[in-house]
Amino acid sequence: MIPADLEPVLLCVGGHDPSGGAGIQADAEAARAVGVHTCSVISCLTDQDTCGVVRLWPQGPRMIEDQCRRVLADSRVGALKIGLLGSARIVRVLCELTTGHPQLPLILDPVLASGKGRWVADTALVNQLRNHLLGRCALVTPNLPEARILSSFKEPDDCAQGLLQTGCPWVLITGTHAPGDEVINRLYGHDDSRREWSWPRLQGTYHGSGCTLASAVAARIVRGLDPEDAVAEAQAYTWESLNRALRTGRCQLTPNRLFALDSPGPLQ
């Protein structure tokens, strides 16, 4: 029995990015920015930097299962956020876990390609996500290319309807890959609701923006916000973290997820 007085935490399953731009570090920083502690299970080690992904080393499904079960038995987990997986076998493990915790909100950021376009998911993994995991999610947050792959449709509205038909009640399709001076994000609900936000497009490219947004939403769900309000707040936070991004490597910028901690002047 989990004590009721424990602080709710966010459990994140995702890849480790040694550059700190994406993956588990992005999850932890985005959650901490809103005051939520993150418990983390690394699903995939990566060889990558701000210039892109070179290689993946998916971790053993049994190891991932054991770590998740340990956290779920010890902590009051308010939501489970899933990012890069790297293996279809890991999806099956996560499906088994969620069967035992049907009330646990699951937020899926379906990482199918890196920010520079390198494919990080094979056909077996995509099929496992589409046929088994999507229907267990409370919210899925694909960009438009990912939504097209998962739904087999082209237009955002059609993609969303295809994903909603899996049983997932909320679908957020981000518009960073579409051309134009504005980024349009669209949230679709199982009740036929649809909300749209438009954000000024920032110059440059960013390493970990999708991880940042999905984790920011998940952390706010842990704090008790409903998915619609969590998505609205998380977008504003994510845009500001990109607006204040840091140049930590030679290529893409790193979101400044802890910008609130920036010192206004020199340290004393």
Side-chain angles (χ1 to χ4, degrees):
M1 180 69 68
I2 302 297
D5 61 346
L6 293 183
E7 283 287 322
V9 303
L10 174 64
L11 173 57
C12 293
V13 178
H16 175 260
D17 172 11
S19 79
I24 288 293
Q25 185 168 326
D27 297 337
E29 290 179 351
R32 192 59 194 156
V34 74
V36 172
H37 176 73
T38 299
C39 298
S40 58
V41 175
I42 295 176
S43 57
C44 190
L45 297 175
T46 71
D47 178 3
Q48 69 175 304
D49 55 20
T50 61
C51 299
V53 177
V54 177
R55 188 177 177 186
L56 305 178
W57 292 278
Q59 300 300 286
R62 175 64 185 274
M63 181 181 68
I64 293 168
E65 178 183 9
D66 288 350
Q67 292 180 68
C68 287
R69 291 193 186 280
R70 185 73 61 185
V71 173
L72 288 165
D74 180 57
S75 299
R76 187 154 70 94
V77 178
L80 170 61
K81 185 264 181 181
I82 298 174
L84 173 67
L85 294 177
S87 166
R89 294 193 302 157
I90 297 173
V91 178
R92 293 194 288 271
V93 163
L94 294 174
C95 287
E96 292 175 6
L97 280 172
T98 57
T99 298
H101 297 82
Q103 303 306 314
L104 181 65
L106 195 163
I107 295 86
L108 173 65
D109 175 21
V111 182
L112 306 182
S114 70
K116 300 293 285 186
R118 186 186 186 281
W119 190 250
V120 294
D122 59 17
T123 301
L125 175 54
V126 171
N127 286 338
Q128 286 289 323
L129 292 174
R130 180 189 293 136
N131 298 326
H132 300 291
L133 192 58
L134 283 174
R136 300 170 183 264
C137 295
L139 169 70
V140 59
T141 65
N143 57 39
L144 184 53
E146 291 165 342
R148 286 170 171 165
I149 292 169
L150 290 171
S151 70
S152 300
F153 292 104
K154 183 176 181 180
E155 297 302 318
D157 289 357
D158 295 331
C159 291
Q161 290 307 310
L163 295 175
L164 289 169
Q165 287 174 8
T166 67
C168 179
W170 294 97
V171 175
L172 173 65
I173 298 181
T174 59
T176 53
H177 288 71
D181 295 332
E182 295 184 326
V183 173
I184 298 176
N185 299 329
R186 300 176 175 90
L187 178 66
Y188 301 83
H190 59 97
D191 55 356
D192 294 326
S193 63
R194 182 182 185 277
R195 283 192 65 182
E196 185 174 292
W197 294 266
S198 179
W199 298 94
R201 186 177 296 275
L202 297 166
Q203 296 300 311
T205 58
Y206 304 89
H207 187 54
S209 57
C211 302
T212 303
L213 176 59
S215 296
V217 174
R220 284 160 175 79
I221 289 175
V222 171
R223 292 287 301 270
L225 273 67
D226 63 59
E228 192 169 1
D229 289 339
V231 165
E233 280 195 14
Q235 287 180 82
Y237 159 78
T238 301
W239 189 92
E240 191 61 34
S241 75
L242 301 182
N243 188 43
R244 302 191 189 203
L246 308 171
R247 183 163 293 283
T248 62
R250 294 177 293 113
C251 298
Q252 292 182 309
L253 297 169
T254 298
N256 185 0
R257 288 171 285 263
L258 299 177
F259 59 81
L261 299 181
D262 288 348
S263 175
L267 294 176
Q268 300 298 318

